[in-house]
Each structure stands twice: as C-alpha cells, then as structure tokens.
Amino acid sequence: MDILNAIVAILNFVVIPAAAYGAQLALGALGVTLIYGILRFSNFAHGDTMALGTALVILVTWGLQAMGISLTPLPTALLALPIGIALTSLFVLGTDRVVYRFYRKKRSEPIILVMASVGVMFIMNGLTRLIIGVDEIRFDDGARFLISVQDFRAWTGLAEGLSLRVSQALTLVVTALACWALFRFLSRSRSGKAMRAYSDNEDLALLSGIDPERVVRLTWIIATALAVTAGTLYGLDKSFKAFNYFQILLPIFAAAIVGGLGSPLGAVAGGFIVAFSEVAVTYPWKKIATYLGFEPQGMLQLLSTEYKFAVSFVILIVVLLFRPTGLFRGKSV
Amino acid sequence: MSNSRQAEASSPWRAPILLIILIALFLAEGSFRNAMFSGSWNTALAILNMGLISAIMALGVNMQWGYAGLFNAGVVGFLALGSLAPVLVSLPPVQGAWTAGGPRVLLALLVGLGTLVLAAQVWRRMTGPLRLLAMLAVLIVGFVIYRRLFDPAVMAIEANNAAAAGNIGGLGLPVLLSWPVGALFAAAAAWGIGKVALGLRSDYLAIATLGIGEIIVAVMRNEEWLSRGVKNVSGIPRPVPYELDLQSDPGFVARAAEWGLDPATASGIWVKLLYAGLFGAVLLVLILMAELALKSPWGRMMRAIRDNETAAEAMGKHVTRRHLQIFIIGSAVIGLAGAMMTTLDGLLAPNSFNPLRYTFLIWVMVVVGGSGNNWGAVLGAILIWFLWIKAEVWGPELMRLVTMPLPEGALRDHLLGGAPHMRFIALGLLLLLVLRFAPRGLVPER
C-alpha cells in the first residue's frame, strides 16, 4: 500500500500542480515564440498583455455575474474570456499600429523593438493598475473541486489524499484544445502556412505574394488570445494580482528559450520542463521517501520554495550553455 | 542601431540646454510651493541625490550598451550585489554569529565553488561516453557535501539573536571603503556571468541576464544570514554627520539661525548637500574617466566592434574578450551605485529590488538621454528620476483636473484613487515618443 500512497502523493503534490502550471507557461511561451518568429523581437510587454487581458476578463465576469449569468459548475470567467480576448486584441493591434509598425517599416534593429516593447509594457502595466487596482482578486466561482481529498480517501481507503481542482482540470483541457487548434492552424490552413513561410524567410514570403501586414495582424491576435487565456487560467488557479504577471513573464521567457525561440513545439516542451523542474526542485520529498521505506533526516528539499523563479533560469542557462539556441534549435537574429 | 548611429551631426547645444532645464526644475522644486512643486529644498536635494546615483547606474548601463551594444537586462542584480557591500564591510560584526558558523559557511561556499570548477574541468578534459556521467557525479557529490556543511551553519547563524540580528554582520570598516568593494562584488559576478553568457546573441543575452539578475535578487531575499532578507538591515554607518547631532551642536544652530532657518530644516539640507557633494564628485570622476577612455584608441576600438563585429574581428580584435572587459567595467559601475544607494538610505531592503524600477527604468534613462553619450545618459537619468518622483504628485493633480466635469461618484473616486499609477503610463509614453522622434536620445552620440 505504501507504494500506492507514494504515487498518490507524487501525483497530488508534484504532477498535478506542475502540469497545470506548465500548461499556463506553455500558453504564454507560445505567444512569446510566435511574436519572436514573425516579428523578430522578444516582447517584454507579453506579461502585461496577460495582466491587462485578465483584468478585462474579470470586469466582464463581474458584469455577467451582476446580470445573474453564470456557468456553474464552471467558472463564469470562461464566458467572459472571448470578450476579454477581443478587447485586448483591439488594444494590442492598436499598439502595433501606433508603435511597432513604424520600426518594422524602417527595418530597425530588433533591439529597438525590444525597447519599444518595454515602453508598451510600462503603459499596459499602468493601465492595468488604473483599471483594476493593485489588490488581490479572486474571481473563481462555480465548483471548487473535481476530486477532493476527503472523497478520494473515502473511495480508495488510502492514507494519502488526492485533489484535483476545477481550475487545474480546466487549465489542462483548455491548453490541450488551444495547442491542438494552433498546431492544426499552422500546419493545415492557408494563413497558417503563410505565417510559417513568413517566419522562415521573410523575403521569399513577400515574393510569393503573402501580405505581411495580414500575417503580422494574425500573429498579434493569436498571441494575444493565448496570452489572455493563459492569464485567465493562471488567475483562476492562483489569484489575480497585477504585479504577478510580470513575475510569470520570467519563467515564460525561460520556457520559450529553453525550447528555442520561434519554435512552437519547443515552447510547449519548455513550459512543461520549466514547471516540472521548478516543482520537483522545491518540493520536500521527505514524505514520499518515508512511504518508500527510507527515513530521511532532513526535508529532502533541494531548494526552498522562494527559489522557484531562480530554478527556471538555472535551467535556462544550463540549456543555453550546451545549446545556444534552445533544445529545438530556435532562431537567432 | 548601426543605421542611426553615425547620422547627421546634432547641435552641440543640446546637452547644455538640457542641463539648464534640469537646473531650472530643481530650483523650481526648491523655491515654489504650488500644485506642481513642493517648495522644499529638502525634497529637491533628496531627489537630486538619488538622481545622481541613478546617473551612475545609467553610466554603467551606457558603457555596456552605448559603447559595446550589450543588452544587460540584469541591472537590478548587479545593483543588489553592490548594495550588499556596505553591510558586509562597514557594519560591526554580530556578536556570536561568526563563532556560530562563520568559518563553516565560508568552507561550504569554497566547496560549492570548487565543485563548479571541478565539474567544468571534467567536462573540458574528458572525452567519450562517460563525460556527462562524470560531470553529473561531481556535481551531485559536491552539492551533497555543500549542503551538509552549509545548512547547519546557516541555521546556527540565523538562530543567533534572530529578532535583532540573525545575520553574520560586517567587518566594521569605514563605509566609504565599501563603495569600491561593491564595485568589486559586481565585477566578480560579471566576470563569471560574462564567461557563460556573452557568447549568446542579443535577445538570448538579454533574457539570460534578466534571469541571472532575478537569481541574485532571490538569493538576497532569502539568505537571511547574509542580508537578513525581508527583515532588512538598518543602521548602516554614514560618511556624513547625523541630523540629530547637528541639531544639538550649538555652533551649527547659531549658523542656521544666521541663515534664517530652523535647525531641523537646516540640518537636513546640510546633510543632503554633503551627500550631493560626495556623489557629484564620484560622478564627475567617472564621467572624466569614461570620456577619456572613449576618446582613446581603446574607445575607438570598442565602437568599431559595436558598429561592425565582423569587420573588427577581421582586423584581429578579440571581440568576445573586449565584450567581457566592458561587461565587467559597466557592471562594476552599477555595483558602485548600489553601494552608494545603501549608504544614502542607511538601509538594505532586499525586498525592494524590483526589476521594473532598477532595470527597466535605468534603461529608459539611458535611451531617453542618449545611448553612447555619457553626458546624455547622466542628464537623462536625472531628468527621468525627477519625472518619476514628481509623476506621483502630478498624476493625481492632472486627474483631478480631468475628472472635474465628472459627477461625484464611484467612477471619479476610482480614477482619482488610481492616479498614482499614472507614472508608469507617463514614463512609457515618454520612452515611446523619444524612440520615435529622437531615436538617438535627447543628447545623441557625437
């Protein structure tokens, strides 16, 4: 029985949280990687796009709740998500029009675009704070648990319990759907092929009659949709705090780079690699070792939880040492 | 930026004009009391002092970016390392901490460093299929020994008088000595980081340094034996007199009365003036050295490398080595600024090291001021710092004006409440406008 207990504990404390977190990172990293692949710069405003989008989703959610519309047992935010995506996309397309297009036309160095994205980051950060404030907001309504610890114990008679929150299950399902749709879009549809062609060789794509502005618009919309989805799922899973999304930008960049910038498959792999390492390195393994018959003295925790974000960068640096453009051989300008 | 670097010659009057505008702003801050300015010399000098330190940070970033085109997004990390120096150099040692675990911590750190060196050597010297396994074995064994030594020592130090201390303290040396030590800390870290990261291309380098900066800040926040973490280290000695001592000094009180000031205000102003003199002197020496270096053959070589790496390499310049050199020098300057900042605050607050404020804002300063131009970076830094501080006052004032026509109610209250966050929007807008209409900054490179 103890091996079963150990497996349940690993599932409960490592696999499920890391999978949900990894899915959120993967969605974010997909957006970063798409923008890098098409527009050829690292978008520092991506984290604040997530924050602004999530703030808008929360506002729409409140509006829906006030009208008495809900989606129980699922969170109402799911209904608000498409509206949030549409609003944020409009804003992001506006920034492209006002800010980035000028440098694209001038063929400025990528670093200028990065700087401009820092400017956009400041503005979006301020707007988010202005719109929704800096307080912590919980907006998950509906059922809390798909499987709760007590139920699981009652069903199985194991000492160790397993819990699966609705937000975690939802994260995994939505991410799987989004990835499936995105990869299908990129490999099958005309526009997706145009995007890939543009990303591989800009000049050749222009020669073959691909409209670059259309490709760029599509990229922004898709990246924004992924970002707002990731942000909303993260907010449902933990809670919404304007500043948290700058923090999560760092592991998202790490994920995108570990996979190789510009490679969508790499972004997904990178997201899960980063998340699983973060959780595994900061989880105290004592309980599981005890189930398996070892009686350790310490907590068997490699690093304290505060070093979570540092772990993603250690992975990043180790990967870059051996593969300077990431595991899936990404682009470099 | 090669397409815009050597653009048309710009007016030589730009730097003096910007300087005059800055002086006018500070004079207005000190002398007028209205909706825009505080009318307090104490406030004006406080802004100026932090502005001078920001100018030194901007100078360091400008060396890396402006001379060499290196995008260092880990400014906050080097700053944090430098700001640790006053604690370790000038605080008195904590009673009992050293005996509790000092030597053991040092030994553990040496073991950790030795493990890394050994692993690198194994990787370099060995060939064949066992290479990876051997390196991993070295790392794992080294890590276990390190933790065996490190953990109990840290627990012992942190348990020692945990409420008031819990850290290892310092050496009790004069605080001014800690400034070059801060520069050394940052330089040493830059050497290690540069060895690893400088082979990377632009965006990869930016994000790698961003990550390393976060790692350094995470260490500062959590290693309480070193920096007390969130409990902050206060009471760092000063190179200038304390206000309270001045106020009880009859000679000073008499002189203040001569000027028609009450002793409290006068002592604040006098202390801040002394700091401004110290910081200004350091800044001037740094600018002088930077200008001389930039005009020397070395400076021409650096700019040649920046503008065309391939050509410079073909001329026999060792690009990576030069990049490492300038990365170390720039980081040392940032570390120096960190040590000065802790000295000015009298406090080390590891929780306050926020990349938005200490990496990206510094970058805004350099870009707005004029990258590649030392005077531009310095003037830009002081200007942006002034705006950053004042935007917190001007934002709500502006909002009050804008919301005047709105009826009293929830929306108006919400907008007024959120107005302090306007500073982000204002700074972002300023950065975008400068990037668009003066991409080489307010005081461009000559």
Side-chain angles (χ1 to χ4, degrees):
Chain A
M1 285 310 262
D2 273 353
I3 288 198
L4 277 183
N5 274 324
I7 291 173
V8 170
I10 290 180
L11 277 176
N12 192 30
F13 292 108
V14 179
V15 176
I16 292 177
Y21 180 48
Q24 291 148 9
L25 289 186
L27 285 180
L30 271 174
V32 166
T33 248
L34 279 179
I35 290 174
Y36 191 89
I38 307 281
L39 295 127
R40 298 192 164 77
F41 74 98
S42 309
N43 182 15
F44 274 81
H46 200 72
D48 285 296
T49 309
M50 290 168 75
L52 182 66
T54 313
L56 292 173
V57 167
I58 292 175
L59 288 182
V60 177
T61 308
W62 286 344
L64 288 174
Q65 284 168 343
M67 285 190 288
I69 303 173
S70 77
L71 201 62
T72 25
L74 292 175
T76 317
L78 226 47
L79 272 181
L81 186 60
I83 309 171
I85 290 175
L87 291 174
T88 320
S89 295
L90 281 181
F91 183 87
V92 170
L93 287 176
T95 63
D96 182 70
R97 183 77 206 218
V98 179
V99 180
Y100 301 115
R101 197 168 73 157
F102 174 76
Y103 302 105
R104 195 161 58 240
K105 288 271 176 324
K106 252 181 51 175
R107 294 202 165 227
S108 297
E109 294 224 346
I111 212 80
I112 300 287
L113 282 156
V114 174
M115 280 291 145
S117 82
V118 170
V120 173
M121 171 183 88
F122 269 101
I123 293 178
M124 286 182 125
N125 191 305
L127 269 182
T128 312
R129 290 169 190 231
L130 199 62
I131 291 174
I132 203 147
V134 288
D135 302 328
E136 187 164 344
I137 299 169
R138 299 211 61 105
F139 60 106
D140 54 336
D141 48 4
R144 291 273 293 140
F145 289 101
L146 215 58
I147 306 171
S148 78
V149 173
Q150 290 84 359
D151 292 346
F152 183 84
R153 284 207 189 115
W155 292 336
T156 57
L158 286 173
E160 197 59 42
L162 180 80
S163 85
L164 180 65
R165 274 181 285 140
V166 172
S167 59
Q168 291 168 327
L170 201 62
T171 299
L172 291 170
V173 173
V174 171
T175 305
L177 283 176
C179 286
W180 174 78
L182 180 69
F183 285 110
R184 210 181 145 80
F185 170 79
L186 285 178
S187 61
R188 301 282 172 81
S189 75
R190 249 186 101 72
S191 310
K193 282 179 188 158
M195 273 173 71
R196 282 193 301 150
Y198 188 85
S199 161
D200 285 342
N201 187 335
E202 199 180 329
D203 295 325
L204 201 62
L206 293 180
L207 268 180
S208 44
I210 289 171
D211 175 9
E213 287 304 304
R214 207 180 96 85
V215 168
V216 168
R217 272 199 306 274
L218 257 179
T219 309
W220 279 119
I221 293 173
I222 296 174
T224 308
L226 291 168
V228 178
T229 310
T232 305
L233 291 172
Y234 184 81
L236 283 174
D237 198 16
K238 311 268 167 35
S239 69
F240 176 85
K241 221 174 163 199
F243 195 71
N244 277 353
Y245 288 85
F246 180 76
Q247 289 277 310
I248 193 183
L249 178 66
L250 305 173
I252 282 178
F253 268 138
I257 287 201
V258 164
L261 277 174
S263 153
L265 204 60
V268 176
F272 284 103
I273 291 174
V274 166
F276 271 90
S277 339
E278 273 189 15
V279 176
V281 169
T282 54
Y283 177 69
W285 290 90
K286 179 178 180 158
K287 188 191 235 173
I288 288 159
T290 316
Y291 278 129
L292 294 177
F294 307 106
E295 200 68 53
Q297 286 177 338
M299 294 297 287
L300 286 188
Q301 190 180 16
L302 288 177
L303 281 174
S304 72
T305 338
E306 287 82 15
Y307 283 113
K308 232 177 77 172
F309 287 118
V311 174
S312 52
F313 283 107
V314 173
I315 302 166
L316 166 78
I317 288 155
V318 170
V319 167
L320 287 185
L321 269 180
F322 295 100
R323 284 240 176 157
T325 56
L327 292 176
F328 285 68
R329 300 215 186 279
K331 282 184 211 309
S332 105
V333 187
Chain B
M1 245 203 266
S2 53
N3 53 355
S4 57
R5 288 266 187 194
Q6 267 103 25
E8 72 293 343
S10 66
S11 159
W13 292 102
R14 283 191 160 188
I17 290 174
L18 188 57
L19 184 63
I20 290 170
I21 293 176
L22 275 178
I23 293 175
L25 278 176
F26 278 102
L27 290 180
E29 176 70 20
S31 36
F32 303 123
R33 174 182 288 280
N34 53 27
M36 287 186 69
F37 300 110
S38 66
S40 147
W41 287 104
N42 257 318
T43 314
L45 283 171
I47 299 177
L48 177 66
N49 280 339
M50 197 54 213
L52 290 172
I53 293 178
S54 304
I56 293 175
M57 299 175 201
L59 212 51
V61 172
N62 186 41
M63 288 174 188
Q64 297 175 338
W65 166 241
Y67 301 4
L70 297 176
F71 192 175
N72 173 8
V75 178
V76 65
F78 296 105
L79 194 79
L81 274 178
S83 70
L84 190 59
V87 174
L88 295 185
V89 169
S90 64
L91 270 190
V94 170
Q95 282 297 319
W98 183 253
T99 45
R104 206 168 163 171
V105 162
L106 276 189
L107 184 66
L109 292 178
L110 282 178
V111 167
L113 205 63
T115 306
L116 289 181
V117 172
L118 194 64
Q121 286 299 322
V122 166
W123 183 256
R124 196 173 300 160
R125 297 275 164 84
M126 274 181 72
T127 46
L130 285 177
R131 191 184 180 200
L132 185 67
L133 278 180
M135 188 186 71
L136 282 179
V138 169
L139 283 178
I140 291 169
V141 171
F143 184 75
V144 171
I145 300 177
Y146 162 78
R147 287 291 295 265
R148 276 282 159 91
L149 285 169
F150 190 69
D151 288 354
V154 163
M155 288 243 258
I157 294 176
E158 285 178 1
N160 170 49
N161 192 6
N167 65 333
I168 191 121
L171 300 172
L173 297 170
V175 70
L176 282 182
L177 190 69
S178 73
W179 293 7
V181 172
L184 274 182
F185 282 0
W191 178 79
I193 294 165
K195 280 270 179 203
V196 175
L198 281 181
L200 302 173
R201 309 302 311 159
S202 56
D203 289 52
Y204 290 84
L205 174 67
I207 291 164
T209 46
L210 182 76
I212 292 165
E214 283 303 297
I215 293 176
I216 295 174
V217 173
V219 170
M220 295 271 290
R221 273 186 201 149
N222 296 305
E223 299 300 318
E224 290 186 2
W225 62 275
L226 192 65
S227 59
R228 297 199 75 207
V230 291
K231 291 191 280 183
N232 299 346
V233 184
S234 56
I236 290 159
R238 273 184 173 189
V240 298
Y242 285 89
E243 285 88 346
L244 283 177
D245 294 344
L246 287 176
Q247 285 162 30
S248 55
D249 172 12
F252 182 83
V253 174
R255 244 178 306 148
E258 245 172 72
W259 281 78
L261 292 168
D262 69 288
T265 321
S267 62
I269 291 176
W270 178 239
V271 167
K272 290 191 180 75
L273 274 176
L274 287 176
Y275 268 127
L278 265 178
F279 297 156
V282 174
L283 180 62
L284 282 179
V285 169
L286 281 176
I287 292 188
L288 185 70
M289 288 187 346
E291 285 287 302
L292 286 178
L294 207 53
K295 289 209 172 68
S296 70
W298 180 85
R300 281 196 294 278
M301 174 186 65
M302 292 312 296
R303 276 176 296 171
I305 291 176
R306 177 196 70 193
D307 290 339
N308 192 335
E309 263 180 41
T310 325
E313 208 147 29
M315 304 279 285
K317 305 298 174 203
H318 199 310
V319 172
T320 317
R321 195 175 296 165
R322 293 291 151 253
H323 275 173
L324 183 61
Q325 194 179 29
I326 197 74
F327 191 65
I328 292 174
I329 297 176
S331 302
V333 172
I334 299 170
L336 172 70
M340 292 165 69
M341 193 174 78
T342 319
T343 313
L344 174 65
D345 295 341
L347 172 84
L348 175 68
N351 238 10
S352 69
F353 290 116
N354 161 3
L356 221 50
R357 155 76 184 84
Y358 289 110
T359 296
F360 293 108
L361 195 65
I362 310 296
W363 269 96
V364 174
M365 291 169 177
V366 174
V367 173
V368 167
S371 56
N373 185 324
N374 293 317
W375 287 103
V378 165
L379 293 176
I382 300 177
L383 176 71
I384 294 290
W385 180 248
F386 188 87
L387 294 178
W388 178 253
I389 293 293
K390 294 309 286 183
E392 206 170 21
V393 185
W394 294 348
E397 289 292 335
L398 184 75
M399 205 49 117
R400 205 162 297 146
L401 217 67
V402 171
T403 53
M404 210 77 104
L406 285 179
E408 294 281 338
L411 179 65
R412 194 175 163 193
D413 289 345
H414 180 77
L415 284 175
L416 283 177
H421 308 307
M422 289 281 286
R423 58 159 43 160
F424 286 97
I425 301 178
L427 263 290
L429 270 179
L430 183 65
L431 175 64
L432 289 181
L433 287 174
V434 168
L435 273 179
R436 177 84 175 240
F437 297 108
R440 298 161 66 225
L442 295 178
V443 187
E445 185 181 353
R446 270 153 295 175

